[in-house]
Amino acid sequence: ARPRAFAPTVAWALARWNGALPVQMEAGADSNTAQIVLAWVDRMDSTRTGRTEITWDNDGRISRAHVTLATHLADGEPLGVRQMTALALHELGHALGLGHSPDSLDALFPRTRAIELTERDRATGRLLYALPPGRFR
């Protein structure tokens, strides 16, 4: 599948996170000024299908996130819409600052198949955004 075919799926995942957290993400075309940049690749050089790299500012806030989504598995098999939905929810969660979850039902589980956010995903995000920026012990 081509990235354009997955654009509605990513928009859907974006809307799910927007409805769950006190922050809002907007889709746009200007990657120079965006805080979250999404890029498509055919496949990654590992078994992964997504990656999020985050840059933090000196105050502990996310200044930029670069999300990469693969359209194919490492063996060349194309991802389906359901797989891309789970991947987009997962990687956008990382772009918002969330880490992995130990619960296999959550969108942030390392090998997720979740196509909807769980209440735990939402609660974790709300808690993260209720805390002051920076490290905590």
Side-chain angles (χ1 to χ4, degrees):
R2 294 179 173 259
R4 182 168 291 192
F6 288 130
T9 303
V10 173
W12 186 88
L14 189 78
R16 288 302 180 263
W17 280 114
N18 279 344
L21 301 180
V23 296
Q24 294 292 299
M25 297 180 282
E26 296 176 6
D30 186 1
S31 62
N32 292 322
T33 60
Q35 287 182 291
I36 299 174
V37 176
L38 187 135
W40 301 97
V41 295
D42 184 58
R43 66 190 85 180
M44 297 196 166
D45 57 359
S46 67
T47 59
R48 296 168 59 169
T49 51
R51 178 179 58 242
T52 300
E53 298 166 341
I54 296 177
T55 304
W56 305 86
D57 68 16
N58 291 334
D59 295 324
R61 292 183 181 95
I62 297 171
S63 60
R64 191 165 175 98
H66 190 272
V67 175
T68 305
L69 303 177
T71 58
H72 294 78
L73 299 172
D75 66 5
E77 181 182 338
L79 268 69
V81 170
R82 185 177 179 90
Q83 290 168 302
M84 185 57 71
T85 301
L87 179 59
L89 278 172
H90 181 90
E91 295 302 331
L92 287 173
H94 284 319
L96 290 164
L98 280 73
H100 281 139
S101 167
D103 190 324
S104 63
L105 298 177
D106 292 341
L108 270 294
F109 185 71
R111 296 215 178 262
T112 188
R113 292 193 169 132
I115 58 169
E116 181 59 81
L117 298 175
T118 63
E119 183 50 39
R120 180 182 165 119
D121 290 319
R122 290 181 186 90
T124 302
R126 286 191 302 267
L127 176 61
L128 177 65
Y129 280 84
L131 295 170
R135 295 182 180 258
F136 62 93
R137 297 173 209 251

